[in-house]
Amino acid sequence: AQTVTQSQPEMSVQEAETVTLSCTYDTSESNYYLFWYKQPPSRQMILVIRQEAYKQQNATENRFSVNFQKAAKSFSLKISDSQLGDTAMYFCAQETSGSRLTFGEGTQLTVNP
Amino acid sequence: KAGVTQTPRYLIKTRGQQVTLSCSPISGHRSVSWYQQTPGQGLQFLFEYFSETQRNKGNFPGRFSGRQFSNSRSEMNVSTLELGDSALYLCASSLEGRGHEQYFGPGTRLTVT
C-alpha cells in the first residue's frame, strides 16, 4: 500500500522567515506525481505545488519550492518570506493508482507576527 | 473560470437516513474525485468518475456510491447513515485525472446525529 508520512504535526515560524516542511512517501511505481496542498481555517484545499517524479528539477511556485529526493523518497516544501496568510494545515500527497491521491497526516503551520 | 462548487455546504442527518451530495467541476474538467476528511482518519479517497464511469474506488463500504452526469457534474450518495459518517466531504476536479492537478471544492460538512 502507498503511504505518505509527515513527521511534523505542528510547526511555527516568524513572519518573513523561511520554513521547511518534511514529507516522505513509499511507492513501487517509477512514474508518479507529488503535491503539496494547504488547507486554511476555511477548510478550502488549495494546491500549492506539483512535482513530476520523472523530472529531476525541483518545482518552484513564487515563494514555495520543493526539495525532491527521488532515491530517498523525500519531498519537502520550503516556504520563503513567510506571510501571515500562510498559516494553514499543509498536506503532502502522492498520486497513485490512476488519479487517487494518498495524503499524509498534515502539518499545522503557524506564522507568527 | 468558476471554481468547483459543492452543495449543500452543511447538512445534518439522523442515523439510518440517506444523503446525496452534489459537486459541479470546473468547466472543461472531466474527472471528479471524492474524499472524506475526518479528524481520526484524515483524508481518504472515496472514488473517481471520468466520462460518467467510475474509474477508481477506495476502501469504503457499499453504502457509499456515486455517479457522474454527461455534463461532468457528480453526486455521491450515502445510505443508512452511521454516526461515523460525520465528516467533511470534499470533491475535486481535474482535466483528465492522472498527472493533472486536482482542484478542490469548499466541501460539504455532514453531521449525523
Side-chain angles (χ1 to χ4, degrees):
Chain A
Q2 315 290 349
T3 58
V4 177
T5 303
Q6 295 178 248
S7 58
Q8 305 150 315
E10 297 180 356
M11 293 192 72
S12 63
V13 63
Q14 292 299 120
E15 199 174 4
E17 293 188 345
T18 296
V19 64
T20 299
L21 309 183
S22 301
C23 172
T24 58
Y25 60 93
D26 185 20
T27 181
S28 57
E29 298 182 15
S30 58
N31 187 26
Y32 49 90
Y33 301 84
L34 298 165
F35 304 86
W36 278 97
Y37 282 88
K38 66 181 278 189
Q39 189 176 42
S42 67
R43 309 299 279 173
Q44 173 82 51
M45 291 283 281
I46 301 166
L47 176 66
V48 175
I49 203 163
R50 168 180 176 266
Q51 174 77 45
E52 300 173 51
Y54 63 89
K55 287 187 176 179
Q56 295 190 353
Q57 185 174 6
N58 290 324
T60 300
E61 285 289 338
N62 301 315
R63 297 182 295 107
F64 299 88
S65 62
V66 299
N67 182 6
F68 174 49
Q69 302 289 328
K70 191 172 183 177
K73 295 183 179 176
S74 169
F75 182 60
S76 60
L77 174 70
K78 186 173 83 170
I79 306 175
S80 304
D81 186 25
S82 296
Q83 300 176 0
L84 296 178
D86 295 334
T87 292
M89 181 73 84
Y90 285 80
F91 292 97
C92 177
Q94 179 187 10
E95 187 184 72
T96 61
S97 303
S99 58
R100 173 195 304 224
L101 289 176
T102 299
F103 288 89
E105 308 91 333
T107 296
Q108 176 63 50
L109 176 67
T110 301
V111 180
N112 299 307
Chain B
K1 279 186 179 177
V4 179
T5 58
Q6 292 187 244
T7 57
R9 293 292 310 278
Y10 302 91
L11 206 49
I12 300 175
K13 289 287 188 179
T14 303
R15 192 171 48 183
Q17 289 185 315
Q18 74 166 15
V19 67
T20 299
L21 312 182
S22 180
C23 172
S24 292
I26 292 171
S27 177
H29 284 193
R30 295 198 292 163
S31 170
V32 174
S33 297
W34 289 88
Y35 295 84
Q36 181 196 64
Q37 186 176 25
T38 60
Q41 299 298 318
L43 283 149
Q44 293 186 287
F45 173 79
L46 281 155
F47 30 64
E48 182 218 0
Y49 285 87
F50 181 81
S51 292
E52 302 179 64
T53 301
Q54 187 180 86
R55 190 162 67 172
N56 213 337
K57 188 177 187 305
N59 297 323
F60 277 81
R63 300 185 297 106
F64 292 81
S65 63
R67 60 178 175 168
Q68 186 180 34
F69 301 94
S70 59
N71 61 358
S72 293
R73 189 177 70 86
S74 177
E75 290 181 346
M76 68 163 280
N77 183 277
V78 187
S79 62
T80 319
L81 284 166
E82 300 177 358
L83 296 179
D85 297 334
S86 294
L88 180 68
Y89 289 89
L90 295 167
C91 160
S93 81
S94 73
L95 205 57
E96 297 278 339
R98 176 73 171 157
H100 290 87
E101 295 91 339
Q102 294 190 34
Y103 297 93
F104 283 80
T108 294
R109 170 73 65 184
L110 172 65
T111 302
V112 182
T113 62

